[in-house]
Amino acid sequence: PESIQYLNNLEILYLYDNNIDYFPTHLPYHSIKSFNLSSNNLKEINNEIQLFEKLKTLDLSENQIDNIP
């Protein structure tokens, strides 16, 4: 949901194994430090990945991604 972007203190987000087809948007880019999207159905990552200011760990394993911007 779009309301997740208002979770200003969210640092860790686990969305693994959820059959997600598209990279999620409307996230709190300024606070997330660890993001797990492994074991989904992602085929590409959009440019929003560059908006994460504090991201240290990103797990995209077990997807079908060919290219990361």
Side-chain angles (χ1 to χ4, degrees), residues 10-20 23-24 27 32-40 42 45 49 52 55-63 65:
L10 182 66
E11 293 186 354
I12 300 171
L13 182 57
Y14 291 105
L15 298 177
Y16 59 88
D17 202 16
N18 279 292
N19 293 318
I20 296 173
F23 192 81
L27 298 171
I32 294 178
K33 293 180 180 180
S34 182
F35 193 11
N36 188 323
L37 278 166
S38 63
S39 300
N40 281 292
L42 294 171
I45 300 296
I49 191 75
F52 289 95
L55 189 65
K56 294 185 185 233
T57 306
L58 175 64
D59 189 345
L60 299 171
S61 61
E62 304 295 323
N63 279 288
I65 301 169

